[in-house]
Amino acid sequence: MAVARLTDSEREELLRRHPEWSLVRDGDAIQRTFRFADFNEAFGFMTRVALLADKADHHPEWSNVYNRVEIVLTTHDAGGLSRRDAEMAKAIDAL
Ligand code: HBI
């Protein structure tokens, strides 16, 4: 299902609402790094994100090194940021 790219002002609004996330890839994606006590905590977080992502049918691009999880959100169908990324960032921040 095609979804619209965020306008510049919508993108600014996203960053205002979610200041822990940074714009990357020339503004076509947002990124946040999470650090946990240990791998067990990090992987538990990833498990919760994975379930969210599958329910939303909107999947992160992510990496994990021991207690660190780096998440990048973008909408392939929109060729950049969409409201689905904003919704996913909000859901992840609420975990
Ligand atoms: N996840 N991050 C991200 N971006 C997408 O565009 C996307 C997705 N998950 C599934 C999805 N698109 C659906 O369109 C699948 O049908 C491909």
Side-chain angles (χ1 to χ4, degrees):
M1 177 196 84
V3 58
R5 269 168 77 102
L6 294 181
T7 63
D8 289 353
S9 60
E10 287 170 330
R11 190 168 45 202
E12 281 150 32
E13 171 72 11
L14 187 172
L15 293 169
R16 238 192 330 274
R17 286 170 184 262
H18 305 288
E20 304 87 358
W21 294 75
S22 308
L23 270 189
V24 294
R25 297 192 197 162
D26 288 333
D28 284 340
I30 50 174
Q31 184 271 343
R32 183 177 175 182
T33 298
F34 299 81
R35 280 179 182 73
F36 299 91
D38 54 27
F39 174 75
N40 185 288
E41 293 290 312
F43 198 78
F45 168 75
M46 292 179 76
T47 303
R48 289 191 293 279
V49 172
L51 296 175
L52 270 185
D54 232 26
K55 190 162 172 240
D57 191 28
H58 196 69
H59 303 83
E61 297 171 25
W62 51 357
S63 63
N64 160 242
V65 177
Y66 181 58
N67 67 326
R68 193 163 51 83
V69 179
E70 179 172 325
I71 296 181
V72 172
L73 296 173
T74 187
T75 301
H76 314 128
D77 296 351
L81 285 170
S82 76
R83 62 175 169 69
R84 296 171 66 167
D85 300 301
E87 288 159 4
M88 185 54 70
K90 180 178 179 185
I92 290 170
D93 288 354
L95 281 178

